[in-house]
Amino acid sequence: MKFGHFDDQNREYVITQPDTPLPWINYLGCQEYFGIISNTAGGYSFYRDARLRRLTRYRYNNAPWDCGGRYIYLRDEASGSFWSPSWQPTRHAAEDYSCRHGMGYTTIGSTFAGIEAHTRYFVPLDENLEIWRLTVTNRRTTRAKISVFASVEFCLWDAQDDATNFQRNYNIGEVEVVDGVIYHKTEYRERRDHYAFFACSEPAVAFDTSRDAFLGPYRGWDNPAAVAAGKLTNSVAHGWAPIGAHQVKLDLDAGESRQIVFILGYQENPKDKKFDPPNSQTINKERAKPVIAKYLGAREADAAFDRLHAHWEKLLGIFQVDTPDVHTNRMVNIWNAYQCMATFNMSRSASSFESGIGRGLGFRDSNQDLLGFVHMVPARARERILDLASTQLESGGAYHQYQPLTKRGNNDIGGGFNDDPHWLILGVAAYLKETGDWSILDEKAPYDNKPGTEEPLYEHLHRSFQYTLERLGQHGLPLIGRADWNDCLNLNCFSDTPGNSFQTTTNKDGKVAESVFIAGLFVHASRELAEIAGRRGKKEDSTCFLTAADRMEEAIKQHGWDGEWFLRAYDSFGEKVGSKECEEGRIFIESNGFCVLAGIGLDDGRAQKALNSVREHLATKHGLVVHQPAYTRYYLHLGEISSYPPGYKENAGVFCHVNPWVMIAETRLGHGDEAYDYYLRINPSAREEISEVHRCEPYVYAQMIAGKDAPTHGEAKNSWLTGTAAWNYYAIAQWILGVRPTYDGLEIAPVIPSSWPGFTATRIFRGVTYKIAVERKGAGNKVALTVDGAPIEGNIVSAPADGRKEVSIAAVLS
Ligand code: BGC
Ligand code: NOJ
């Protein structure tokens, strides 16, 4: 069952039924001002940090879902009836409801009692504000008098404090209302230099800033007293809950259409210019006023929208494909790339499942996210890499997370996830291959942000490598530390205290438990690093990295192979995890996917065997599960992984993040059909038809789909902010379609399904536009390339020597 459809032409997903199984959201903003918006106008906004600079309130885990938003109400003056064109919060049965989630904007509307209303929400580029452009059309044959109400509920900035510290917060809410603009200034009197504003393009007939006055006692957003009465009360909030609400009156001829623009924005003042007059408590509004004046004109708002559109056109234009499969096309061309940008902007901070107060930017996550967006925003990738490196510890290890506002490592979450450092190497390698900007390796970055510790980025990578060598266990495999990629495989935690964090509790010294996954990652990362060192003329380093990688590969073959698949780990008693000897958790996806991806066992049959075992034991029609059998009870020595009921999350759920490792592994064996089969199983668009089962948005990946042990097998959760976005993009773009940046040029190495006659693609790479046509003439993956009509050796196309900016590549597969 579907709740809408894709409009690929306009790069939109169109939701036509408002009561989707879960809120289906989109993101507004792509620089510093952000918001999430659901298909029924729920969501919230923030400036840079979803916890510390939250503009508007949102109630997570509320019933009903998705409470708090950018709510507009219309009221028919004649009948007194009122409704929300976005369905929520009044939930009237309107006609022609539609929500169009597009690239950086969302338009929601419907028709009720002959009044059509649509609101387009977006954040203009280079501005810290959002625009709501409402269009109201009278579809009746008679005149209509309509009151429009637009409302937001302000959050008192720190979202965590806002949701907990009521004894203080009910006293501090403050606003100003000047010239029809509502200014939210809670805590501005003391240490905050920022405020929010909510403005309206039409002369407002009335306003409200007190939630109590607007809603009335014991009433909710579905039935505000002031809207029902048809008149806002000009209330001024003192303490309690400040809101912003404007009332505008429209008198519409039959067929007449009118536009109103609302602006919600954020502004900061220099400390010495906070007040105007200087010794007053009144906000100095000199910075906000011109911005408000500019965007309240519908023409400026439309021009800003056009610029946003052009921005996305440019980003997505960097890689476009035309394959025989619609799901591949729309995910690669539109939604997967778009999701990669959202994960770059948000890391794991704000979604329907991430409350915006919990997590900063993950070290591991942010490095992996690079794989998906480096080609779109290389300059910002560079900055992100250097920020990440600056949080690295002198040991080469990493804080597991850092805070976006301060760019400092987060001590509360700690470190010691022993895979973390290697992702920095892979992130940098991806950056170098895409851009050829070797200067980044000379950029100096401190350790743990400590002045005086600065070293070139290359040395940071060296320390990442060294970190593992200094932490090997009894089998010569890397010690796992707190955990590896699987945050929940906590082999040193041994927690029996409810509420203890599995992520920060350690009861073992960590000298025994080893990870075969980190071993595979180390092999892969060290070989990448060797290549980088070699190209920098550091021969000795390069040999050292290669030797260590070879030695690790040996250790894996000796101690990390279980006969039919790669082991997962050794626990803190030195016992195997992910072995046929285990009762539960006999085979795991991570070590098998990653070891083969790293090329281990390609020459001796192990890789093939491992992937056969993965298919036999882990494949379900909804994707590959993390392990089998699921853990049926809590194991002290395994930690959080066994805390989840079977089939959910890391306990044998389909973790969509790691499925692409197996896809890539299959391509390394030349298996296009298998790789593509796995790709389609979790491709959100391919699952659109089963939206009632999948439940999350059909246009973006979710972190997890319930595994076969779960009663809700096939149900997705944690959509949007997940490493799944980057890895699936990377797998389809670079390994299945095989359009792959390398140090020497663009490699064309497709491993596509045998049934495909070919595909075409356009890829802008280092300033050159490559038009690629792949044609299948035989069943294999052998590539013969013709570049601008002339056959070339090998399958890497180097930059045109004569500076041409457009190149045609014809690839024949046989
Ligand atoms: C989740 C993991 C997540 C970890 C760190 C765990 O509870 O299951 O998926 O990576 O928390 O936030
Ligand atoms: C989500 C985390 O963000 C990611 O870093 C981790 O690898 C997976 N969970 C698996 O535990």
Side-chain angles (χ1 to χ4, degrees):
M1 175 188 175
K2 301 203 292 182
F3 294 82
H5 58 268
F6 285 92
D7 177 349
D8 294 337
Q9 203 66 39
N10 289 308
R11 296 184 169 138
E12 290 174 334
Y13 190 81
V14 189
I15 299 159
T16 49
Q17 190 177 322
D19 54 342
T20 46
L22 295 165
W24 285 3
I25 70 160
N26 192 12
Y27 285 87
L28 307 177
C30 47
Q31 289 153 321
E32 301 203 306
Y33 183 102
F34 296 103
I36 64 175
I37 181 160
S38 75
N39 56 308
T40 57
Y44 59 94
S45 301
F46 60 94
Y47 172 72
R48 285 183 60 195
D49 187 311
R51 170 172 170 186
L52 298 174
R53 292 281 194 285
R54 184 83 63 99
L55 265 82
T56 53
R57 222 171 240 166
Y58 188 71
R59 291 180 178 74
Y60 276 95
N61 202 2
N62 200 71
W65 270 88
D66 195 26
C67 185
R70 301 168 181 85
Y71 295 143
I72 287 178
Y73 306 83
L74 301 188
R75 182 176 184 278
D76 187 338
E77 304 285 12
S79 67
S81 64
F82 66 92
W83 67 98
S84 310
S86 56
W87 192 62
Q88 278 269 61
T90 66
R91 293 190 295 277
H92 280 71
E95 298 154 45
D96 299 331
Y97 159 87
S98 74
C99 165
R100 290 182 167 264
H101 283 319
M103 305 290 104
Y105 68 91
T106 287
T107 306
I108 314 175
S110 61
T111 302
F112 186 82
I115 305 297
E116 183 186 324
H118 289 271
T119 313
R120 183 161 77 189
Y121 301 91
F122 69 101
V123 174
L125 292 172
D126 305 318
E127 298 288 4
N128 293 323
L129 56 86
E130 63 191 67
I131 291 177
W132 312 359
R133 200 201 62 176
L134 168 70
T135 311
V136 185
T137 309
N138 179 8
R139 297 275 175 222
R140 299 177 187 165
T141 50
T142 53
R143 218 177 166 73
K145 288 186 184 225
I146 303 293
S147 260
V148 175
F149 303 86
S151 63
V152 291
E153 181 176 3
F154 293 114
C155 178
L156 309 185
W157 303 113
D158 179 336
Q160 164 94 4
D161 194 70
D162 184 71
T164 46
N165 192 4
F166 305 110
Q167 60 80 25
R168 169 177 164 84
N169 292 341
Y170 287 153
N171 295 288
I172 60 174
E174 284 193 299
V175 298
E176 283 176 32
V177 186
V178 181
D179 297 336
V181 180
I182 295 168
Y183 295 88
H184 173 227
K185 61 169 198 177
T186 299
E187 291 187 342
Y188 191 76
R189 61 169 54 249
E190 30 124 349
R191 290 154 298 175
R192 292 191 185 277
D193 311 323
H194 44 264
Y195 58 95
F197 53 84
F198 188 43
C200 165
S201 62
E202 302 297 306
V205 294
F207 64 86
D208 264 317
T209 65
S210 151
R211 190 181 70 194
D212 283 353
F214 180 70
L215 296 182
Y218 294 92
R219 298 169 74 128
W221 293 89
D222 56 341
N223 189 21
V227 174
K231 183 128 190 57
L232 298 190
T233 67
N234 292 345
S235 60
V236 174
H238 300 287
W240 295 108
I243 63 155
H246 291 290
Q247 178 177 7
V248 171
K249 291 200 172 187
L250 297 178
D251 193 349
L252 299 172
D253 273 341
E256 189 185 348
S257 205
R258 286 278 293 281
Q259 287 193 357
I260 309 175
V261 175
F262 298 97
I263 302 181
L264 174 66
Y266 170 90
Q267 191 61 248
E268 282 176 1
N269 270 336
K271 277 209 184 305
D272 57 348
K273 293 215 176 99
K274 279 176 67 168
F275 301 107
D276 178 23
N279 288 324
S280 73
Q281 286 293 302
T282 313
I283 302 173
N284 174 356
K285 307 178 182 73
E286 71 180 7
R287 290 183 164 196
K289 276 183 179 166
V291 189
I292 295 172
K294 178 172 176 190
Y295 288 104
L296 283 181
R299 204 166 327 123
E300 266 305 329
D302 285 349
F305 183 76
D306 293 343
R307 282 195 297 277
L308 182 67
H309 187 78
H311 168 79
W312 281 105
E313 187 82 21
K314 185 164 166 232
L315 288 189
L316 300 181
I318 294 167
F319 187 49
Q320 289 287 298
V321 300
D322 188 5
T323 78
D325 176 54
V326 65
H327 306 300
T328 306
N329 295 346
R330 68 164 64 112
M331 290 312 292
V332 173
N333 295 340
I334 309 169
W335 290 100
N336 196 358
Y338 182 65
Q339 187 180 0
C340 286
M341 288 306 297
T343 54
F344 164 59
N345 288 325
M346 299 288 128
S347 192
R348 307 295 177 267
S349 77
S351 72
S352 296
F353 303 87
E354 301 285 5
S355 64
I357 57 180
R359 302 211 263 168
L361 300 193
F363 191 89
R364 170 202 299 140
D365 294 332
S366 296
N367 277 301
Q368 291 178 68
D369 291 348
L370 273 161
L371 295 174
F373 69 77
V374 62
H375 65 297
M376 291 187 277
V377 286
R380 298 181 74 194
R382 191 180 206 274
E383 185 190 348
R384 177 64 56 88
I385 287 172
L386 294 170
D387 285 348
L388 285 162
S390 306
T391 69
Q392 189 177 21
L393 302 167
E394 286 182 83
S395 64
Y399 288 107
H400 204 40
Q401 289 174 18
Y402 78 95
Q403 294 311 119
L405 204 62
T406 60
K407 296 190 174 178
R408 296 284 191 274
N410 186 339
N411 224 359
D412 299 342
I413 316 281
F417 292 73
N418 283 349
D419 64 314
D420 269 339
H422 296 294
W423 300 111
L424 183 64
I425 299 176
L426 298 188
V428 171
Y431 175 80
L432 291 173
K433 288 177 189 170
E434 180 65 38
T435 62
D437 167 23
W438 292 81
S439 75
I440 194 175
L441 294 175
D442 301 320
E443 276 304 329
K444 289 193 168 171
Y447 294 97
D448 197 6
N449 280 294
K450 283 202 195 93
T453 62
E454 292 80 3
E455 273 191 348
L457 179 62
Y458 178 82
E459 297 305 327
H460 282 256
L461 304 187
H462 204 156
R463 290 200 191 195
S464 291
F465 163 83
Q466 202 57 34
Y467 180 86
T468 292
L469 287 191
E470 287 165 8
R471 288 166 183 76
L472 295 179
Q474 57 193 349
H475 300 96
L477 297 166
L479 294 173
I480 196 167
R482 238 180 247 300
D484 57 24
W485 172 87
N486 192 327
D487 280 320
C488 300
L489 190 60
N490 314 120
L491 302 181
N492 295 304
C493 177
F494 285 75
S495 170
D496 55 9
T497 309
N500 260 356
S501 161
F502 291 105
Q503 315 288 313
T504 53
T505 307
T506 303
N507 286 311
K508 293 279 164 179
D509 64 8
K511 299 256 163 55
V512 180
E514 297 166 281
S515 162
V516 178
F517 164 73
I518 301 182
L521 175 65
F522 176 85
V523 170
H524 188 57
S526 300
R527 287 184 179 148
E528 287 280 10
L529 191 55
E531 179 78 31
I532 292 171
R535 285 168 183 269
R536 295 269 290 180
K538 295 185 185 277
K539 289 257 150 23
E540 254 176 57
D541 281 4
S542 182
T543 312
C544 157
F545 301 146
L546 283 181
T547 311
D550 290 348
R551 206 173 303 132
M552 187 66 77
E553 181 165 346
E554 253 338 284
I556 294 175
K557 287 183 171 168
Q558 258 194 27
H559 302 292
W561 180 251
D562 198 49
E564 298 294 318
W565 56 77
F566 291 98
L567 280 179
R568 180 62 176 85
Y570 286 93
D571 66 21
S572 82
F573 306 109
E575 301 290 335
K576 293 172 182 169
V577 178
S579 158
K580 57 180 176 301
E581 295 166 20
C582 304
E583 207 177 302
E584 301 186 330
R586 247 175 253 140
I587 170 171
F588 277 71
I589 192 169
E590 303 99 315
S591 46
N592 287 291
F594 217 92
C595 284
V596 181
L597 176 158
I600 300 165
L602 288 179
D603 51 352
D604 64 7
R606 282 186 169 93
Q608 182 62 69
K609 265 194 185 170
L611 294 189
N612 288 347
S613 303
V614 164
R615 178 163 286 261
E616 185 184 336
H617 299 286
L618 304 182
T620 78
K621 66 178 179 182
H622 297 294
L624 298 160
V625 297
V626 176
H627 62 265
Q628 279 294 295
Y631 294 113
T632 52
R633 60 190 177 86
Y634 178 57
Y635 293 95
L636 192 64
H637 67 292
L638 297 178
E640 186 171 1
I641 192 169
S642 60
S643 74
Y644 286 110
Y648 293 105
K649 293 276 280 181
E650 281 87 343
N651 189 10
V654 173
F655 237 83
C656 298
H657 179 152
V658 282
N659 277 232
W661 298 354
V662 177
M663 296 170 205
I664 297 171
E666 289 286 4
T667 67
R668 296 221 57 180
L669 283 165
H671 299 160
D673 286 327
E674 286 78 358
Y676 189 66
D677 169 25
Y678 291 142
Y679 174 73
L680 273 191
R681 290 185 202 207
I682 60 169
N683 177 306
S685 162
R687 298 173 61 77
E688 186 196 14
E689 291 287 350
I690 53 161
S691 288
E692 80 287 3
V693 177
H694 185 79
R695 300 186 80 228
C696 278
E697 297 91 334
Y699 41 91
V700 290
Y701 284 95
Q703 178 204 56
M704 199 265 314
I705 297 174
K708 59 184 172 185
D709 305 285
T712 59
H713 185 32
E715 179 190 50
K717 273 183 208 148
N718 302 358
S719 54
W720 280 99
L721 304 183
T722 155
T724 307
W727 273 104
N728 278 278
Y729 189 79
Y730 177 69
I732 184 73
Q734 299 200 21
W735 295 92
I736 298 178
L737 300 177
V739 179
R740 190 150 70 227
T742 71
Y743 298 114
D744 299 320
L746 197 60
E747 182 171 5
I748 310 295
V751 184
I752 53 176
S754 50
S755 61
W756 281 16
F759 67 93
T760 59
T762 303
R763 176 66 152 87
I764 301 175
F765 177 63
R766 301 191 194 171
V768 178
T769 302
Y770 294 89
K771 301 252 178 214
I772 305 157
V774 176
E775 192 190 348
R776 183 182 272 304
K777 290 213 168 136
N781 303 307
K782 209 167 142 280
V783 183
L785 289 189
T786 312
V787 177
D788 282 336
I792 65 157
E793 284 288 311
N795 61 353
I796 297 181
V797 182
S798 45
D802 58 6
R804 261 170 308 138
K805 288 291 171 218
E806 213 177 292
V807 171
S808 288
I809 304 174
V812 171
L813 292 186
S814 60

